[in-house]
Amino acid sequence: MTGIIRLGRIPLAPEGVKQRWPFPVGMHLVTGGAGFIGSHLVDALVARGEAVRVLDNLSSGRLEFLEGHAKDQVEIVVCDLLDQTQVRDAMRGIQVVHHLAANPDIRLGIEVTDTDLKQGTLATYNVLEAMRMAGVSNISFSSSSAVYGEAKEMPTSERYGPTLPISLYGASKLASEGLITAWAGTFGARAWIHRFANIVGPRGTHGVIYDFIHKLQRDNTRLEVLGDGRQEKSYMDVVDTVDAMLHIIDRDDGIGASLYNLGTTQTISVTDIAKIVIQATGLEDVEIHYTGGDRGWAGDVPKTWLDVEKLYSSGFVPKMDSRGAVKSCADSLVSEIGLRKPR
Ligand code: NAD
């Protein structure tokens, strides 16, 4: 499906909007804006009075996530980032690009080896090239802790290196970061690179909590956990995440590319997440079965723990810690997915 769906008015410079960005007020392009994190970012931008254009091919995104914006300054362009002509068209009148569109499924790389290359690296190249041709020079990019691979330092700070990803997804994120800093260095673009922990919350369409709830929907007596359950990662609530992204753009001019880990200070194990999800469903006597091994799949990193000191010392503290974010996500997805609690 290709086309433009207008959800509301689109003034280029909304009246009465206070200048708070390091660039003139103008329209924001959110690639992947119909997705999980992207739709929450659209909510946050609209709440600030900003005009937003969403570019999404709806491969994992859903229009219903944006339904609440029918009266707002939101426009949706349904197209694929691999279509350069359409991406160039979508760049008209844009001041800042928030580039979130990508394949979200790290596991897919095991079976389809060019997905991340196309949906990650090439898509990012197309975004940057369209920006250059349209004279757009601000990009905020959603990267991942996957760029660190199996880091030897925990918690892992932005200064850690060499970054040696072990998944094709992580490789495409690192390649995209490299393209973005190269564009910044060569063409003078300003860039904000956010390396996310695991992001969770309402509208989630993938990830461990989502998988567990679906498994319990199919069989409410048994929960299969990939690996030995001891994999440990940090989690961040999606609303905290988009607030942190905008906080960074607000306070850092992005010159020379600003790089931040986005996460919380603690980790939580997969076994603990399984227990929290089971509790959220209200199910009793669920047996947890482990497939064994130290990781869920080839390319999975058993432990990720981001050093978030740079984010915290910039004045941003997330409202939820890892456990709180997991619990709140489990509650909201149980009601979204409709897994009934027994009486
Ligand atoms: P998501 O799948 O919900 O969102 C991705 C969006 O991009 C979807 O709406 C999809 O339809 C769109 N899209 C994908 N390929 C496209 C293409 N070729 N052209 C146009 N649109 C396309 O995933 P998400 O969890 O919201 O992730 C958003 C970004 O954050 C991604 O870049 C992801 O890699 C990154 N990230 C997410 C997490 C997490 O825990 N969710 C962690 C680290 C990084």
Side-chain angles (χ1 to χ4, degrees):
M1 178 163 56
T2 300
I4 294 182
I5 303 160
R6 285 206 163 76
L7 277 185
R9 288 180 310 121
I10 314 153
L12 281 186
E15 273 175 39
V17 173
K18 212 174 96 210
Q19 168 103 31
R20 67 173 98 211
W21 307 92
F23 37 80
V25 171
M27 200 166 191
H28 297 253
L29 180 70
V30 181
T31 76
F36 162 49
I37 304 171
S39 63
H40 284 276
L41 179 62
V42 173
D43 293 349
L45 288 168
V46 168
R48 286 176 167 221
E50 303 292 327
V52 180
R53 181 176 296 147
V54 165
L55 186 158
D56 202 297
N57 68 0
L58 303 180
S59 52
S60 55
R62 299 189 195 156
L63 285 178
E64 70 203 57
F65 291 165
L66 298 168
E67 267 168 3
H69 294 301
K71 293 201 177 77
D72 299 321
Q73 304 153 88
V74 176
E75 179 186 57
I76 305 173
V77 178
V78 180
C79 84
D80 198 294
L81 281 177
L82 297 179
D83 181 336
Q84 243 194 9
T85 312
Q86 294 215 51
V87 180
R88 262 181 235 162
D89 286 349
M91 221 41 91
R92 288 204 192 110
I94 296 298
Q95 280 290 344
V96 59
V97 176
H98 305 264
H99 177 36
L100 286 88
N103 155 51
D105 183 0
I106 304 188
R107 278 178 280 185
L108 192 60
I110 303 168
E111 285 154 26
V112 192
T113 57
D114 63 358
T115 302
D116 296 299
L117 179 69
K118 289 179 179 159
Q119 309 301 328
T121 314
L122 279 179
T124 301
Y125 165 78
N126 279 354
V127 168
L128 289 165
E129 189 56 0
M131 286 174 61
R132 185 181 68 82
M133 296 184 85
V136 180
S137 53
N138 302 294
I139 180 165
S140 160
F141 176 61
S142 296
S143 189
S144 163
S145 61
V147 299
Y148 294 117
E150 292 187 271
K152 301 208 169 23
E153 275 172 37
M154 295 281 163
T156 312
S157 94
E158 296 86 348
R159 291 183 305 281
Y160 178 81
T163 42
L164 301 172
I166 61 164
S167 62
L168 306 196
Y169 168 89
S172 83
K173 287 294 183 194
L174 191 56
S176 294
E177 288 188 6
L179 286 173
I180 289 167
T181 58
W183 247 253
T186 309
F187 305 112
R190 290 195 282 191
W192 297 268
I193 294 171
H194 316 283
R195 289 182 176 163
F196 293 163
N198 282 42
I199 311 304
V200 293
R203 303 180 203 148
T205 52
H206 51 88
V208 62
I209 301 171
Y210 180 89
D211 284 351
F212 282 168
I213 295 172
H214 277 273
K215 281 178 177 172
L216 288 169
Q217 209 174 27
R218 289 192 293 272
D219 180 349
N220 61 18
T221 62
R222 182 180 192 279
L223 179 61
E224 182 193 72
V225 170
L226 302 180
D228 59 12
R230 281 188 287 193
Q231 306 96 298
E232 220 184 291
K233 304 185 180 181
S234 51
Y235 289 77
M236 190 179 204
D237 171 66
V238 66
V239 173
D240 277 337
T241 305
V242 300
D243 285 351
M245 291 166 79
L246 297 180
H247 166 85
I248 290 167
I249 301 175
D250 283 346
R251 72 176 304 279
D252 194 318
D253 64 13
I255 293 168
S258 94
L259 175 64
Y260 284 79
N261 285 339
L262 264 61
T264 51
T265 51
Q266 335 68 13
T267 59
I268 181 166
S269 74
V270 174
T271 293
D272 280 351
I273 295 173
K275 288 179 184 161
I276 290 171
V277 170
I278 292 169
Q279 198 177 27
T281 63
L283 295 168
E284 282 166 14
D285 304 324
V286 178
E287 275 183 37
I288 300 180
H289 289 258
Y290 296 95
T291 59
D294 70 342
R295 63 196 70 209
W297 57 87
D300 184 27
V301 179
K303 178 163 180 171
T304 59
W305 183 17
L306 294 178
D307 182 339
V308 286
E309 176 54 31
K310 187 175 174 189
L311 174 68
Y312 279 48
S313 58
S314 77
F316 184 89
V317 177
K319 293 189 180 65
M320 289 187 210
D321 62 10
S322 281
R323 183 168 286 272
V326 166
K327 246 180 124 326
S328 147
C329 172
D331 288 339
S332 50
L333 291 190
V334 162
S335 67
E336 275 176 35
I337 294 167
L339 186 60
R340 294 203 195 293
K341 298 183 186 196
R343 290 180 181 186

